[in-house]
Amino acid sequence: MTTSLTDPRLELARIVAGEVTVHPDPRLPERILHLTDAQGRGFYAKQHQQPGRFAQELRAYTSWSHHVGAKVPALVAHHEASRTLLLSEVPGTPVTALPLDHPDQPRIYEAAGTALRALHAATLTPLTSELGRQLALRLTGWADRAHHAGLTSAASRAFLHAAAADLAEAELEAAACHLDYQPRNWCWSATTGLAVVDFEHMRPDARLRDLARLHHRHWPTSPHLRDAFHRGYGTPTAAESAVLHTFGAYEAATALVRGHESGDQTLHHYGTALLDRLM
């Protein structure tokens, strides 16, 4: 997407805030603009290509994001025809810009655990086996896509199908889930605390899936941050830890396929390494 005088993101921002200034940020996807108005207030204007993804993120901001126990962007305005959202800027520094040995990291992870616990507690539904069956079907689909693309061996394909069979038998709690809950979507201020951003993946899902990326991507090399998170969220039971292990298969299969299809070698290599580690 390019910025022009008729850019729907700028049009929506100008209707709400008057004249705005665009601040180029190479870290942002092209479809997101960072803006400020004449009073210095910050906004992010985001345009979706897919109507379904726009509707999903709009629902996240109108139904669930306020349950997160941290600061979150406010939905300032939206325009359905152009699939555009205008969101307020939250305070803080992206956590990925802070070194892992930063003294605030344990506080950040504990706050992230507390924030996620609040979301899940407010939206929790009882145990059900139906959700496990749905996730098993999805995992089988990812495993087959990986196989057809030549990304897995016969043994790793069998492992993924076995993990799907385990999920099909599992009873899982559902809750509103962020589904990309990891440091790249957290901001931190020593004054105002934690902020959580990017709710475009949010939907009801298995509660433990919100811990899967942290469990498999971040905690293997930083167990002290895992412990800090658990101080805020609570420590998984042995049964929940087994489910998190199984969700690693889901994480590996999706990373393999998405990394391959998008040309993202880092994501693809992560999926390969995770699958090898789980097997």
Side-chain angles (χ1 to χ4, degrees), residues 27-237:
R27 298 171 300 178
L28 291 175
E30 189 179 355
R31 61 199 174 92
I32 302 177
L33 293 179
H34 181 203
L35 310 167
T36 53
D37 66 8
Q39 287 74 46
R41 295 178 300 177
F43 303 91
Y44 287 92
K46 183 176 187 178
Q47 186 177 23
H48 284 280
Q49 294 182 330
Q50 301 174 0
R53 186 56 60 84
F54 167 78
Q56 182 168 291
E57 186 163 17
L58 180 61
R59 187 182 181 195
Y61 282 110
T62 56
S63 300
W64 299 310
S65 66
H66 65 279
H67 292 301
V68 176
K71 291 177 174 57
V72 299
L75 177 65
V76 179
H78 68 279
H79 186 254
E80 189 165 351
S82 64
R83 304 177 301 280
T84 303
L85 302 169
L86 184 66
L87 307 167
S88 66
E89 184 177 13
V90 296
T93 301
V95 170
T96 50
L98 302 176
L100 275 177
D101 61 355
H102 190 283
D104 280 352
Q105 287 284 9
R107 290 177 59 199
I108 293 168
Y109 271 78
E110 183 171 355
T114 301
L116 189 63
R117 182 183 64 191
L119 170 66
H120 289 169
T123 59
L124 196 66
T125 61
L127 287 167
T128 175
S129 57
E130 178 59 28
L131 183 54
R133 289 193 289 269
Q134 293 173 5
L135 288 168
L137 286 173
R138 286 191 232 161
L139 176 52
T140 300
W142 285 109
D144 290 345
R145 284 171 68 178
H147 171 72
H148 293 313
L151 304 175
T152 54
S153 65
S156 56
R157 185 189 188 195
F159 171 79
L160 293 173
H161 277 265
D166 289 340
L167 279 178
E169 299 296 323
E171 288 197 331
L172 303 171
E173 290 177 328
C177 293
H178 184 280
L179 292 178
D180 194 15
Y181 201 70
Q182 55 180 325
R184 71 181 185 185
N185 289 320
W186 305 342
C187 296
W188 175 254
S189 164
T191 303
T192 59
L194 182 76
V196 178
V197 301
D198 192 2
F199 290 88
E200 71 173 62
H201 301 286
M202 192 179 211
R203 64 175 185 268
D205 210 305
R207 173 180 64 83
L208 290 171
R209 284 198 68 203
D210 258 349
L211 278 64
R213 289 187 176 172
L214 291 167
H215 184 85
H216 293 287
R217 294 191 190 193
H218 300 278
W219 292 340
T221 56
S222 302
H224 67 295
L225 298 180
R226 174 200 62 205
D227 295 342
F229 184 92
H230 287 164
R231 286 196 296 271
Y233 187 86
T235 303
T237 65

